[in-house]
Amino acid sequence: MSQTAALRLRRAIARTEEMTRERTPTGHRPEDADDALGTFATDRALGFDPFPFLRALHEAGSRAVVIGQVAGIMHGSTELTGDLDLLWDGTPHEADALRDALARCGCAELPDLTREQVGYGVTGADGDLCTPALPWGDMDVTTCLTRAETTYDPAGFAIRYAALEDLIRMRRALGRPKDHRRADELVRLRP
C-alpha cells in the first residue's frame, strides 16, 4: 500500500507547526472560523497533530474515514487546517472502537455517539464525528465508507480517508464558499 497520502499529511502538519509556532492564542474557536482560512485561523491549529489519534483509531480497529480538509490534504490540497473530521457508520461496534481510541488519546469527556454529529477533543486534535444520518443535502454518504482509500503511515498504521470523487461531492453538498473553492482545487488534482 502507498504511503503517499500519509506523507502529504505529515508534511502539512509540519507546515502547520512552522506557520503557527509564533502565533499566540486569540480565543478564536472553530465556530469562529471564516470562509477563507477555516479552522487554520483558529486556536485549533495551535499544536494540531492528528497522528496519535489516527494511530489509536487503527489500533482500536476503527473503520472511521477521514473527511474534510485533512482528507483534501491527503489528496494533495495545499490549504492547511486545524481540525480532523471523521465519518463513521453509527453502529455500536464502531462506537466502541471510537470510544477506545478517544480514551487512549486523552479525551476527558467522551462524546454522545448516539448523535448524528458530535464534536470531540483529544490531545493534538479536535473535530467532528459524523454519521451518514447527518443531512448531506441530496448526497448519501454511506457509500463513502465502503469506497474509502487507505494509506499507510511510515510509523506503521493505516489511515482510511475519503476517495477523491466522494470528497468533491461532499464539498459541493456542504456548499459553503470554502467548500466550493476546495472542491475546485480537488477537481484540478484529479489524475
Side-chain angles (χ1 to χ4, degrees), residues 67-87:
I67 58 173
Q69 188 54 18
V70 170
I73 290 167
M74 296 174 82
H75 284 290
S77 175
T78 58
E79 287 193 37
L80 299 177
T81 188
D83 65 346
L84 173 66
D85 297 324
L86 299 169
L87 178 66

Side-chain angles (χ1 to χ4, degrees), residues 155-169:
F157 59 93
I159 304 168
R160 297 183 73 229
Y161 63 106
L164 182 62
E165 293 306 315
D166 287 334
L167 189 57
I168 291 168
R169 288 178 43 237

Side-chain angles (χ1 to χ4, degrees), residues 2 9 14 23 29 33 47-48 58 71 77 80 83 94 103 106-107 109 116 118 122 130 133 142 169 180-181:
S2 174
L9 183 55
R23 192 193 299 177
R29 299 171 307 174
F48 180 59
H58 170 84
S77 175
L80 299 177
D83 65 346
E94 184 62 30
C107 183
E109 187 175 322
E116 58 194 26
V118 64
V122 295
C130 307
T142 305
R169 288 178 43 237
H180 286 297
R181 183 184 72 245

Side-chain angles (χ1 to χ4, degrees), residues 10 26 31 35 39 43 59-61 75-77 79 81 89 92 95 108 110-111 121 124 130 135 138 162 174-175:
R10 287 227 174 248
T26 61
E31 46 275 9
D35 280 336
T39 56
D43 288 351
E59 291 172 353
H75 284 290
S77 175
E79 287 193 37
T81 188
D89 64 14
L110 292 176
C130 307
D138 61 356
L174 289 171

